[in-house]
Amino acid sequence: MQDKYITLIGLGAVGGPLAHKLWNQYGEDFALLSSEDFLWTLENLYINEEKFHPNIFSKPEQLKKKNGIVFICVKNYHVSRIAEFLRPMIDDDTIIVPLQNGVYSYDYFTETFPNNFVLEGFAQGPNTQIMKNCYVYQKPGVFHIGTSDLSKKEFGLKAYEIMKNAGVDCYYDDNIKHEVWKKLMLNTAGNAITALTGIDYCMFDKSPEVQDLCRRTMKEYATVAVCKGLELTDKDIEDIMRYYLSFTVSKHTSMLEDVINKRRTENEYIAGYIYKLAEENGIEVPNIKMLYELMKVKEQVYLEKI
């Protein structure tokens, strides 16, 4: 895609390592997109002790060629604002790759840009540490992308090849919708529990109570996923439990990191989304409701909204 830019917006725990890999591979053909309000945060950056200085564009007139693909790595609550920023920066041929937790961002971009090809995808397991202007990571995470519209698989494979060529651990999934909803099940059970209790994934094997709560929460989740035509089985639940229990070194969820740093969380887009979907369909989900509401109150307290 050398005749077009490869771009990324959102330099957080997921976007930082991915941007670093793409910049190392594609150089001047890679660029960060940023509104002018956030340009100062991108100055004098280091990633893994290397000066990070890609092209940065905040206005459409700065683009010297078309934007071929954009990886969206912002939090869910920034998606609507970012969509309006992107509107003049892309055309109908731009591939959009949202990598947020959950399904909200995919639905939003699909509705907002009906003429574009929007991939489904997610990232799992980056161990990025961010200290002011320095990013450090050993594992950039594992990325899963794909499309439920198999007639447009070629666009998905194009994005996949861009990532693989940059040394990104990436999988193309033909059954991506199932994988996205399975990841959301992991987040719905794990994120709020860790954020509320402060428990680290590496402690899960020492807490049968946490394991039991995770299983009960995921079983509720599976009953709600049926409303969207998804069948998540006991095998899926046990796959996730093995993932939780696989950590022997410290691993915080993104939501726990948000709580530690007193930031806004994605609770509304994870447990909140599932709880509201359950309500709309008359499904009782007491564990998910409890986790969602407790997390909502915890966030309101440290953000001083109550």
Side-chain angles (χ1 to χ4, degrees):
M1 197 174 276
Q2 292 183 353
D3 57 331
K4 296 181 179 181
Y5 282 116
I6 297 163
T7 60
L8 181 146
I9 186 165
L11 210 64
V14 170
L18 179 57
H20 188 228
K21 292 275 191 181
L22 293 171
W23 176 63
N24 279 335
Q25 176 65 26
Y26 298 107
E28 289 297 307
D29 292 319
F30 170 74
L32 291 178
L33 301 181
S34 172
S35 64
E36 291 185 300
D37 294 342
F38 290 93
L39 285 176
W40 65 273
T41 67
L42 304 177
E43 296 174 357
N44 197 34
L45 286 180
Y46 288 82
I47 300 183
N48 284 358
E49 300 183 346
E50 177 183 17
K51 176 71 173 175
F52 181 60
H53 53 91
N55 291 312
I56 303 173
F57 301 133
S58 59
K59 298 177 181 178
E61 57 266 28
Q62 293 173 323
L63 294 165
K64 298 182 178 66
K65 52 187 176 181
K66 288 186 176 182
N67 188 349
I69 186 169
V70 55
F71 294 94
I72 314 289
C73 300
V74 301
K75 295 282 192 177
N76 275 297
Y77 44 77
H78 289 314
V79 161
S80 59
R81 179 177 61 81
I82 290 303
E84 292 313 304
F85 166 74
L86 282 177
R87 195 177 293 280
M89 307 285 278
I90 65 176
D91 57 31
D92 289 350
D93 293 327
T94 305
I95 301 169
I96 299 172
V97 190
L99 293 168
Q100 288 68 34
N101 288 324
V103 297
Y104 167 78
S105 62
Y106 170 76
D107 291 342
Y108 190 92
F109 283 112
T110 300
E111 182 178 338
T112 305
F113 300 106
N115 296 324
N116 287 85
F117 177 72
V118 183
L119 273 175
E120 296 169 79
F122 61 90
Q124 187 167 334
N127 64 352
T128 317
Q129 293 181 315
I130 303 173
M131 297 154 285
K132 293 185 178 180
N133 65 329
C134 297
Y135 289 63
V136 177
Y137 71 91
Q138 290 79 41
K139 296 179 181 179
V142 179
F143 293 80
H144 292 257
I145 59 173
T147 173
S148 298
D149 185 352
L150 297 183
S151 68
K152 296 181 178 179
K153 184 174 179 176
E154 62 179 289
F155 297 104
L157 289 174
K158 187 178 294 185
Y160 166 78
E161 290 298 333
I162 287 171
M163 298 173 83
K164 289 295 286 187
N165 288 342
V168 177
D169 194 355
C170 182
Y171 294 89
Y172 185 88
D173 293 315
D174 280 324
N175 195 13
I176 188 63
K177 190 173 291 295
H178 178 273
E179 295 304 312
V180 166
W181 277 78
K182 185 174 178 179
K183 172 62 165 27
L184 181 54
M185 181 162 67
L186 182 155
N187 292 137
T188 299
N191 283 29
I193 290 171
T194 60
L196 287 165
T197 64
I199 194 170
D200 193 299
Y201 271 166
C202 70
M203 304 172 188
F204 268 45
D205 67 332
K206 298 179 180 67
S207 177
E209 294 83 7
V210 163
Q211 294 175 43
D212 179 60
L213 181 54
C214 283
R215 282 193 173 90
R216 286 189 282 117
T217 302
M218 288 191 283
K219 284 183 180 295
E220 288 181 359
Y221 177 100
T223 66
V224 181
V226 172
C227 300
K228 293 291 187 178
L230 277 297
E231 182 181 356
L232 291 158
T233 66
D234 287 345
K235 179 184 180 302
D236 293 316
I237 290 173
E238 292 310 312
D239 285 347
I240 291 171
M241 290 306 304
R242 280 191 291 275
Y243 174 80
Y244 289 147
L245 298 170
S246 68
F247 288 92
T248 56
V249 296
S250 179
K251 172 67 170 79
H252 288 179
T253 63
S254 58
M255 192 172 289
L256 175 54
E257 283 292 322
D258 288 337
V259 169
I260 290 170
N261 292 287
K262 296 185 177 181
R263 297 188 295 247
R264 185 179 176 185
T265 75
E266 293 186 295
N267 184 43
E268 289 292 336
Y269 303 91
I270 300 176
Y273 175 86
I274 298 301
Y275 170 53
K276 289 165 187 173
L277 182 59
E279 270 198 321
E280 291 168 6
N281 290 275
I283 301 170
E284 293 291 327
V285 287
N287 290 295
I288 293 173
K289 180 176 186 288
M290 174 191 67
L291 292 171
Y292 164 63
E293 291 180 342
L294 285 175
M295 192 61 238
K296 186 173 183 177
V297 172
K298 186 176 185 73
E299 183 177 342
Q300 289 172 337
V301 168
Y302 68 70
L303 292 179
E304 300 181 349
K305 291 189 175 181
I306 57 175

